[in-house]
Amino acid sequence: MDDTLYADGFEDALIGIGIQFDKRLAVYDYEKCVEILIDKEKMTREEAEEWMEFNVVGAYVGEHTPIFLLKGVRA
């Protein structure tokens, strides 16, 4: 059974599926998500980043919560 969860409205930012043990997780390009909010919702960059952090990245919807990739960022 595929329990992968997808983030509504961010289809164009989906970059792949990550596998973690027995889970499949949708992986999105964080910056592309911000651009989608700016373009489609007419938000400023600051508003879009705040929206992403609070409403998207900060939303835990279970063990199959999608991942948002920050490209070029090292731990």
Side-chain angles (χ1 to χ4, degrees), residues 31-48:
E31 182 59 30
K32 180 66 178 168
C33 290
V34 169
E35 291 172 11
I36 288 169
L37 291 172
I38 291 169
D39 293 341
K40 292 187 178 176
E41 302 300 327
K42 306 302 182 208
M43 294 182 179
T44 65
R45 173 161 290 280
E46 183 178 340
E47 290 169 335

Side-chain angles (χ1 to χ4, degrees), residues 30 45-55:
Y30 179 92
R45 173 161 290 280
E46 183 178 340
E47 290 169 335
E49 289 174 351
E50 184 177 321
W51 178 266
M52 277 296 297
E53 291 300 317
F54 186 78
N55 296 291

Side-chain angles (χ1 to χ4, degrees), residues 6 10-17 25-29 32-33:
Y6 297 93
F10 294 111
E11 295 78 11
D12 290 342
L14 181 66
I15 57 175
I17 301 294
L25 305 171
V27 181
Y28 293 87
D29 179 329
K32 180 66 178 168
C33 290

